[in-house]
């Protein structure tokens, strides 16, 4: 099993996703002789998981069933153990696009945190690219190394435990892109410029406060970055529904035209949309935003090395 290479069957040592529903799933480390408790009963790894195809329906001891899914960065993002606040797929998708990442790209990241973005970056640059990720906190760095090893992507990532604002990324003039998610990104802009390739490298800084954005933009200008722009991603969901509106009374002439064009006594017209015209209402599809929506997560500032 690997997060960047699809495996057909579940093997001992794999990380799999137990899917109970769209709002209920969790990761499990598959181990011979181990059992996992769910609300539908026990899952026995030796008989219920190992050797089964990913995507299979597994019947639990109480008669209920779950699906066993192959892990992906998207599924890991909604199931990972939180060591820090994380980035979700809405922001991750625009970061990947705006940094112009592709297989073979070299990316520098700080900080690693819970590894949500890291897994997506690794999957994007595989199989020939590489991620250099820096984490200030020693325990979080060690845990990230352990997870990358368990997920079969350790050959695509280098984890460094150091302060990026003081010591940089540990590489020079090779990165196609740099991503910063730290409290004071303006202090790391100089190191980011040193890590980027000679010309055309992209940088992205994620900050929750506009004051951080202002100082970061000033630092980018000072170090000669161009095409500086900041954006915010807000997911707005629309609810499509059928609504009925009353037809306005346009006078007797309109009534005469309506009666001429539509014969309600004709059986073939019964139940048609035009039948509602005789009843004074008309139905149509309408899209309206939900009353509540996901709020602010952070500002994304992008720039290009000149």
């Amino acid at each position: 099993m690997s997060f960047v290479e699809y495996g057909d069957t579940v093997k001992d040592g794999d990380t799999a996703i137990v899917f109970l529903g769209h709002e209920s799933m969790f990761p499990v480390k598959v181990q011979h002789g181990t059992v996992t408790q769910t609300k539908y009963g026990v899952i026995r790894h030796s008989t219920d998981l190992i050797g089964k195809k990913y995507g299979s329906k597994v019947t639990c001891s109480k008669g209920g069933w779950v699906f066993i899914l192959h892990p992906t960065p998207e599924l890991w993002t909604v199931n990972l153990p939180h060591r820090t606040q994380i980035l979700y797929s809405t922001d991750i998708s625009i970061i990947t696009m705006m940094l112009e990442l592709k297989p073979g790209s070299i990316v520098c990241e700080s900080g690693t945190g819970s590894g949500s973005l890291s897994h997506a970056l690794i999957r994007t640059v595989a199989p020939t690219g590489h991620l250099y990720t820096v984490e200030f906190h020693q325990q979080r760095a060690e845990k990230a190394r352990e997870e990358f090893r368990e997920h079969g992507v350790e050959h695509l990532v280098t984890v460094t435990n150091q302060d990026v604002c003081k010591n940089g990324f540990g590489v020079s003039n090779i990165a196609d892109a740099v991503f910063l998610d730290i409290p004071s990104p303006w202090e790391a802009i100089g190191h980011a410029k040193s890590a980027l390739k000679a010309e055309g490298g992209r940088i992205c800084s994620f900050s929750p406060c506009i004051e951080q954005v202002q100082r970061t933009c000033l630092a980018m200008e000072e170090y000669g970055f161009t095409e500086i722009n900041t954006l915010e991603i807000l997911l707005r969901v629309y609810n499509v529904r059928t609504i009925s509106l009353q037809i306005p009374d346009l006078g007797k002439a309109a009534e005469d035209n309506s009666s001429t064009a539509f014969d309600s006594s004709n059986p073939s017209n019964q139940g048609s949309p035009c039948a509602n015209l005789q009843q004074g209402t008309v139905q149509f599809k309408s899209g309206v935003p939900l009353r509540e929506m996901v709020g602010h997560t952070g500002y994304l500032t992008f720039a290009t090395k000149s």
Side-chain angles (χ1 to χ4, degrees):
M1 184 279 304
S2 171
F3 272 56
V4 297
E5 297 176 0
Y6 183 78
D8 190 46
T9 60
V10 183
K11 299 181 177 61
D12 188 15
D14 283 2
T15 298
I17 304 297
V18 179
F19 181 89
L20 292 81
H22 289 289
E23 301 297 328
S24 179
M25 63 184 92
F26 59 90
V28 61
K29 178 71 176 292
V30 179
Q31 293 178 316
H32 185 78
T34 304
V35 298
T36 297
Q37 293 282 351
T38 73
K39 62 181 180 180
Y40 301 125
V42 171
I43 301 175
R44 296 175 176 81
H45 294 198
S46 300
T47 57
D48 297 333
L49 297 184
I50 297 177
K52 296 291 183 66
K53 288 183 176 295
Y54 279 109
S56 299
K57 180 190 290 186
V58 174
T59 302
C60 304
S61 60
K62 292 183 180 179
W65 47 267
V66 299
F67 287 104
I68 303 300
L69 304 182
H70 193 282
T72 64
E74 290 77 17
L75 289 175
W76 184 247
T77 291
V78 296
N79 289 286
L80 57 78
H82 284 233
R83 299 184 288 273
T84 59
Q85 184 60 263
I86 69 170
L87 290 175
Y88 289 92
S89 296
T90 305
D91 287 315
I92 291 173
S93 60
I94 195 72
I95 291 169
T96 303
M97 182 188 73
M98 294 293 286
L99 289 182
E100 303 173 1
L101 301 182
K102 60 186 181 298
S105 295
I106 306 297
V107 187
C108 293
E109 175 198 24
S110 182
T112 312
S114 300
S116 174
L117 176 65
S118 302
H119 282 81
L121 295 177
I122 291 170
R123 195 259 311 270
T124 302
V125 305
T128 57
H130 201 83
L131 171 66
Y132 294 90
T133 182
V134 179
E135 173 56 51
F136 175 78
H137 194 272
Q138 182 179 356
Q139 285 74 24
R140 288 200 292 262
E142 292 174 353
K143 185 61 179 177
R145 289 193 192 97
E146 179 184 341
E147 285 181 349
F148 293 143
R149 184 168 55 253
E150 291 178 352
H151 298 165
V153 296
E154 72 275 9
H155 61 292
L156 297 170
V157 57
T158 299
V159 181
T160 305
N161 173 220
Q162 64 187 28
D163 185 353
V164 70
C165 296
K166 295 180 180 179
N167 307 113
F169 294 94
V171 296
S172 299
N173 302 320
I174 65 170
D176 297 288
V178 169
F179 176 79
L180 299 173
D181 183 7
I182 55 178
S184 52
W186 55 90
E187 296 181 1
I189 299 300
H191 294 296
K193 182 177 181 179
S194 299
L196 287 169
K197 60 186 181 181
E199 185 178 357
R202 294 279 287 166
I203 183 174
C204 174
S205 173
F206 177 90
S207 298
C209 302
I210 194 65
E211 292 81 7
Q212 294 171 302
V213 174
Q214 292 171 332
R215 296 189 65 175
T216 302
C217 289
L218 291 173
M220 288 179 175
E221 287 184 343
E222 180 183 348
Y223 281 96
F225 283 89
T226 60
E227 300 178 345
I228 302 172
N229 63 87
T230 299
L231 52 88
E232 179 184 21
I233 307 300
L234 296 176
L235 181 63
R236 191 177 190 188
V237 179
Y238 275 75
N239 182 25
V240 178
R241 61 184 181 181
T242 301
I243 63 174
S244 298
L245 291 180
Q246 191 171 17
I247 298 176
D249 184 4
L250 302 178
K252 190 172 186 307
E255 294 178 1
D256 294 341
N257 292 336
S258 176
S259 61
T260 302
F262 180 83
D263 183 7
S264 60
S265 62
N266 187 344
S268 64
N269 288 331
Q270 299 297 324
S272 68
C274 295
N276 290 328
L277 297 176
Q278 299 302 305
Q279 300 169 5
T281 62
V282 63
Q283 291 184 338
F284 62 92
K285 296 292 184 181
S286 174
V288 295
L290 301 180
R291 293 183 179 272
E292 296 181 357
M293 61 180 286
V294 177
H296 169 75
T297 57
Y299 300 104
L300 294 169
T301 300
F302 296 92
T304 303
K305 183 177 178 180
S306 176

